[in-house]
Amino acid sequence: MILRQILRLSSRFHSAVSVQLRRNIGLSAIVFNKTKELDPVQKLFLDKIREYNTKSKQAGGPVDAGPEFQKEMNESLARLQRAYGEGDLTKFPEFKFE
């Protein structure tokens, strides 16, 4: 009876370990995949993301945002400040627990 329980637990342990190993191997295969080996569409997508990241760092904010975007952003911030009080709404709040 104890032997059956041990065998049952070992089979469950084996199946759980095998599932985890399959998942980890599948994820690591994706992570270690090089850019030159990607599908052309995936490569184009990654190139565009990198290009946007570079432009965003140079611009210091949203890329290709015109005056309309800035106007809407200011209106939204003003509306939120009226609703939730004063303060800088572009920064994460600081919590103080006493």
Side-chain angles (χ1 to χ4, degrees), residues 26-58:
L27 288 175
S28 63
I30 293 170
V31 169
F32 290 117
N33 196 1
K34 297 193 179 353
T35 306
K36 63 182 179 180
E37 298 171 2
L38 290 176
D39 183 85
V41 175
Q42 290 174 333
K43 185 175 181 336
L44 180 65
F45 181 73
L46 287 176
D47 291 343
K48 289 295 181 181
I49 289 176
R50 290 182 182 125
E51 178 184 341
Y52 182 85
N53 188 23
T54 305
K55 286 182 180 180
S56 176
K57 286 180 181 176
Q58 289 174 352

Side-chain angles (χ1 to χ4, degrees), residues 61-85:
V63 177
D64 298 332
E68 293 176 6
F69 174 79
Q70 192 63 35
K71 180 182 174 188
E72 288 178 19
M73 176 96 154
N74 291 338
E75 289 174 357
S76 297
L77 286 175
R79 187 172 53 246
L80 288 171
Q81 282 181 337
R82 282 193 305 270
Y84 296 108

Side-chain angles (χ1 to χ4, degrees), residues 1-13:
M1 193 163 163
I2 294 174
L3 184 61
R4 284 186 201 163
Q5 289 178 350
I6 291 173
L7 290 174
R8 195 175 307 142
L9 287 176
S10 68
S11 67
R12 289 180 186 167
F13 178 74

